[in-house]
Amino acid sequence: MHQASLPRKAIVRPSGTAIAFIALLAGNVALAFGPWFVRMTDVGPVAAGFWRISLAAPVLLLLARASGSRPFTEARGLWWILGASGVLFAGDLATWHIGIHHTKLANATLFGNCASLIYPIYGFFIARAWPSRTQGAALLIALVGAAVLMGRSAEVSPENLVGDLFCMTAGVLYAAYFIFMARARATMQPLPALALSSVAASLPLLVVALAMGERVMPASWSPLITLALVSQVFGQGLMIYALGALSPLVIGLALLTQPIVAAAIGWSVYGERLGLLDLVGAVMIAIALVLVRRASGGDKVAA
């Protein structure tokens, strides 16, 4: 006589895409602190980008090796992709860091993340990752929310124009960087891909900083070390991890969380006041993220 087996409780484990989505949000929150750290440094804006990369690259290489990866071996056949991504990321950091010093934190983060629109368009037309109705609605809601934030948190004025243009240029370069890194992530793990891309970005940033006559050697290392660890190792590391598991639409929409966090930092640290419409825009972006996550169960990025 067989004894009836006791019923077992189902153990619910987060799926790979759920973990990637959490990593994506956490990475965006970490990256949103970048403009604040850049303002705290005592070196030039491009030099700050150089130190962000140069201090982070050895840490990323060590972490990649500790995880069992062999970055230089795994990169065979991908050197031009990693090199191009590094140059694009160097251009993104250089233009964005210059823009940060000439506009508000919310402006810098919002315009610097115009990749939130460009990268999904790449997915739609080039990678043929067409959105469902729910995803399309989420994109529309997010864009309206971003427009509300732009109208309130971001102040479009002649005083901020130069900084805004630099930050928008950075956003275009950031989207191109994502496209190349998505190609690399198709065959490489996130840590070695980010480590080698970071190595490729270091020299261009140093050359530009020296050519612009910026101060390169800091008197205080704390803001630069914090920038490297929080923005590059943690924030960018989580972003590149998510890039290999989620679609361009999900990645793009999640970028819009950065202006929300940056606006909150600008409010608390620099007195850049938030209003009711700012909160409305933030809620709309949050709703869009919930919708796109529910509609993107097993999404994989198209490279």
Side-chain angles (χ1 to χ4, degrees):
M1 184 173 180
H2 295 285
Q3 187 177 6
S5 59
L6 295 175
R8 295 180 179 179
K9 290 184 179 180
I11 300 175
V12 179
R13 293 185 176 88
S15 67
T17 52
I19 294 172
F21 188 72
I22 294 170
L24 177 64
L25 294 181
N28 275 287
V29 171
L31 288 169
F33 282 83
W36 183 28
F37 298 144
V38 171
R39 284 190 179 183
M40 292 168 62
T41 64
D42 57 5
V43 297
V46 180
F50 164 72
W51 287 117
R52 164 180 166 170
I53 296 295
S54 298
L55 293 173
V59 177
L60 290 167
L61 286 170
L62 287 173
L63 289 174
R65 288 288 296 171
S67 67
S69 296
R70 295 183 176 181
F72 295 96
T73 302
E74 295 176 17
R76 288 175 183 169
L78 295 173
W79 285 112
W80 75 272
I81 293 176
L82 293 168
S85 68
V87 172
L88 288 166
F89 193 55
D92 162 54
L93 285 184
T95 51
W96 191 43
H97 284 190
I98 291 172
I100 286 168
H101 285 278
H102 294 86
T103 189
K104 295 170 63 177
L105 280 186
N107 289 48
T109 311
L110 189 60
F111 292 130
N113 281 291
C114 63
S116 60
L117 179 60
I118 299 170
Y119 190 54
I121 289 175
Y122 157 79
F124 297 158
F125 293 102
I126 306 300
R128 299 185 183 278
W130 302 105
S132 65
R133 288 184 180 180
T134 303
Q135 290 174 328
L139 179 59
L140 180 61
I141 292 170
L143 291 177
V144 173
V148 171
L149 281 174
M150 185 181 297
R152 292 289 302 164
S153 296
E155 179 186 338
V156 182
S157 69
E159 181 181 354
N160 298 324
L161 181 60
V162 172
D164 292 344
L165 289 175
F166 269 104
C167 290
M168 280 190 279
T169 301
V172 174
L173 294 170
Y174 198 35
Y177 163 75
F178 273 155
I179 291 169
F180 277 88
M181 285 302 287
R183 297 272 307 269
R185 281 287 284 115
T187 55
M188 287 188 72
Q189 293 299 311
L191 280 174
L194 180 59
L196 295 181
S197 176
S198 298
V199 170
S202 296
L203 183 58
L205 284 166
L206 178 60
V207 170
V208 173
L210 292 174
M212 293 180 64
E214 290 187 358
R215 175 179 176 176
V216 174
M217 294 304 299
S220 173
W221 285 96
S222 296
L224 291 171
I225 293 172
T226 306
L227 176 66
L229 294 178
V230 175
S231 293
Q232 191 66 14
V233 176
F234 186 74
Q236 201 65 33
L238 291 176
M239 286 289 292
I240 299 305
Y241 168 76
L243 196 63
L246 301 171
S247 71
L249 176 61
V250 177
I251 297 290
L253 289 185
L255 288 174
L256 293 174
T257 60
Q258 289 190 42
I260 299 172
V261 178
I265 296 170
W267 181 29
S268 61
V269 178
Y270 297 104
E272 298 173 355
R273 187 171 56 87
L274 297 175
L276 178 61
L277 284 178
D278 296 301
L279 299 178
V280 171
V283 169
M284 292 182 73
I285 291 172
I287 291 172
L289 285 170
V290 171
L291 285 175
V292 80
R293 171 63 194 140
R294 288 172 63 90
S296 307
D299 244 347
K300 292 291 288 182
V301 71

